[in-house]
Each structure stands twice: as C-alpha cells, then as structure tokens.
Amino acid sequence: MKIINKPMKNNFIITLSLLVAFSVNLSAQDQKAKAILTKLSDQTKTANTISAEFTSTLENKSENIDESRKGKILAKGESYRIYLDDMEILTDGKTVWTIIPDAEEVQINTVPEEGEMADFSNPTKIATMWEKGFKYSYVKEEVIDGTKTHLIHLFPLKPAEKDFHTIKLYVNQASSNLQRIIIKGKTGTDVIYDITSFKLNEAIPESTFLFKNATYSSYDLIDLR
C-alpha cells in the first residue's frame, strides 16, 4: 500500500512561496529606502552651505531622564559651528574648539582621522553616513508634527563597535530633508534630534568658522591635542 503525503508537499510549496514573497518584499522595501536616502545624500553633498535649527533631547525612560536643549548649526564643507544653550562647537575642518562661556574655558582638539572618527563628530554627516558601514530598511510612512515622513532604520554592520544599535531617520516626504533623528542607545539612553528649520545654500560668512583668540582672551585655553 502506497502512502502519498500530499498535504506535506503542499505545505512545503506554500511555505516556499511565502518565503519567496517575503524576500521579494524585503528587497523592494530596501530599494525604496535606498532611493530616499540617495536623494537625501545628493542634495546634502551638492549644497554649498547648510543652516539648521533643532531641539536635541536625551531620554532614558527607566531612569526618568528627559533633557532637552535647542541648537543651531551652520556648515560649509568640513567646517561647521554649532550653537547650543551652554556652549559653542566650532571647527575649520582641522581643529575643534569647544567654547564654554559659564566656565570661561575653550577646549581645543584635533578633528579625528576618518578611521577613528566618532559617528557624529560632524552632525551634517548623518545625512550621508548610511552609505558606509550600515544596512538600511524602509519601515513605514509616519506623520510627525503634521508632516508626512518616511521612516527608515539604519543598523551598523559592526554593532559591537558602536554604543547604539539603531538609528531611526524620519525623512520629509515633500522636501527630502531630515525631520527627526533618533539614535537608540544600547543602555536605554536615546538621543533625539527634532529639526525645526533646514535651509540649503544660504550665504554664510567665512569668518563664522574662524576662531578668534581676541574674543576669548579672558578664557582658559585647554589644549587637548
């Protein structure tokens, strides 16, 4: 007597079909994410200058940490100046000056080499960092403060070397600019950037990125190079 196990064969075919469909869907979602990220990168790379205002939040729900502060960044090439509530960070692409008015102190560092560079040493690089060292995935469309965005997740290819596991990028559907960035820390502490204003190719004087010793003559200069 022959025993024909047709249900098992049919189950195998159904499972295989589902796996193929799932794989095709993932591929399509990844291609969608790449197209959105490429447009974001292209307009950032071709801009002569970038001017943005943002609110940064440090959040850890288990430890009841929720600290926010406003900031502004002006950038041109490798040079940028960040204005925060309690400090300024300035670089000409070679040297970094951290200016702390309350302490009347300026800390001086060298911009890290690419191989040792911290992921967010230049905040404008967040728009292009996905190109190297990350895999990406399109998640969904989401409305942020009344604005339609694309939510894309970035995952480091070498997670053991990072202190975060995921970066969530919310890309404005209309302008292709970043609307929100959430960096998910491994210890439960997240860093959130809400970008309230983003402008390209505004005129920014070169003097913006120059450190003027005379301005801080009464400050302690701490050279950490």
Side-chain angles (χ1 to χ4, degrees):
M1 180 177 68
K2 293 182 179 181
I3 300 175
I4 302 174
N5 198 345
K6 286 186 178 181
M8 182 178 291
K9 183 177 181 180
N10 289 341
N11 288 340
F12 174 76
I13 293 173
I14 292 170
T15 302
L16 182 61
S17 298
L18 289 173
L19 287 173
V20 170
F22 180 69
S23 177
V24 169
N25 181 61
L26 282 179
S27 178
Q29 293 295 79
D30 289 347
Q31 289 302 313
K32 183 175 183 178
K34 185 177 181 179
I36 294 167
L37 292 171
T38 298
K39 190 171 182 179
L40 171 66
S41 287
D42 288 347
Q43 70 180 18
T44 303
K45 290 176 181 177
T46 57
N48 290 322
T49 65
I50 296 173
S51 174
E53 296 179 5
F54 60 88
T55 298
S56 64
T57 303
L58 189 69
E59 182 179 271
N60 186 315
K61 294 181 179 178
S62 64
E63 297 184 11
N64 294 318
I65 296 174
D66 188 357
E67 302 171 353
S68 296
R69 58 181 177 177
K70 296 184 182 298
K72 181 178 182 179
I73 180 171
L74 302 174
K76 185 175 184 179
E78 294 299 316
S79 301
Y80 62 86
R81 189 168 197 140
I82 302 174
Y83 300 88
L84 296 168
D85 295 336
D86 54 353
M87 70 176 67
E88 291 182 31
I89 302 171
L90 166 64
T91 181
D92 58 4
K94 297 178 181 179
T95 303
V96 181
W97 294 270
T98 302
I99 305 162
I100 309 171
D102 287 348
E104 293 193 341
E105 176 181 296
V106 178
Q107 297 177 3
I108 308 171
N109 283 281
T110 302
V111 172
E113 297 293 333
E114 184 176 350
E116 61 187 47
M117 184 177 288
D119 295 290
F120 312 108
S121 60
N122 184 341
T124 63
K125 298 295 184 183
I126 293 178
T128 58
M129 67 186 300
W130 66 273
E131 298 174 347
K132 184 178 180 181
F134 287 88
K135 56 183 177 179
Y136 44 82
S137 175
Y138 186 90
V139 181
K140 62 179 179 177
E141 294 185 357
E142 188 166 330
V143 177
I144 301 293
D145 297 328
T147 301
K148 292 181 178 180
T149 69
H150 298 291
L151 173 56
I152 296 171
H153 285 182
L154 303 182
F155 307 100
L157 295 178
K158 297 180 179 180
E161 299 177 3
K162 309 295 182 182
D163 55 7
F164 60 90
H165 57 79
T166 308
I167 298 178
K168 301 170 72 173
L169 300 180
Y170 295 82
V171 183
N172 187 305
Q173 292 187 22
S175 66
S176 296
N177 295 329
L178 285 172
Q179 188 84 14
R180 176 177 290 173
I181 304 158
I182 301 178
I183 304 163
K184 304 289 290 183
K186 290 180 178 178
T187 62
T189 299
D190 301 334
V191 181
I192 305 165
Y193 294 97
D194 283 300
I195 301 168
T196 54
S197 172
F198 190 90
K199 299 176 182 178
L200 301 175
N201 299 315
E202 284 200 323
I204 302 175
E206 291 290 342
S207 59
T208 302
F209 310 110
L210 297 178
F211 179 79
K212 301 174 183 177
N213 284 299
T215 304
Y216 305 100
S217 59
S218 64
Y219 282 40
D220 292 329
L221 301 183
I222 303 174
D223 198 329
L224 302 173
R225 291 172 291 185

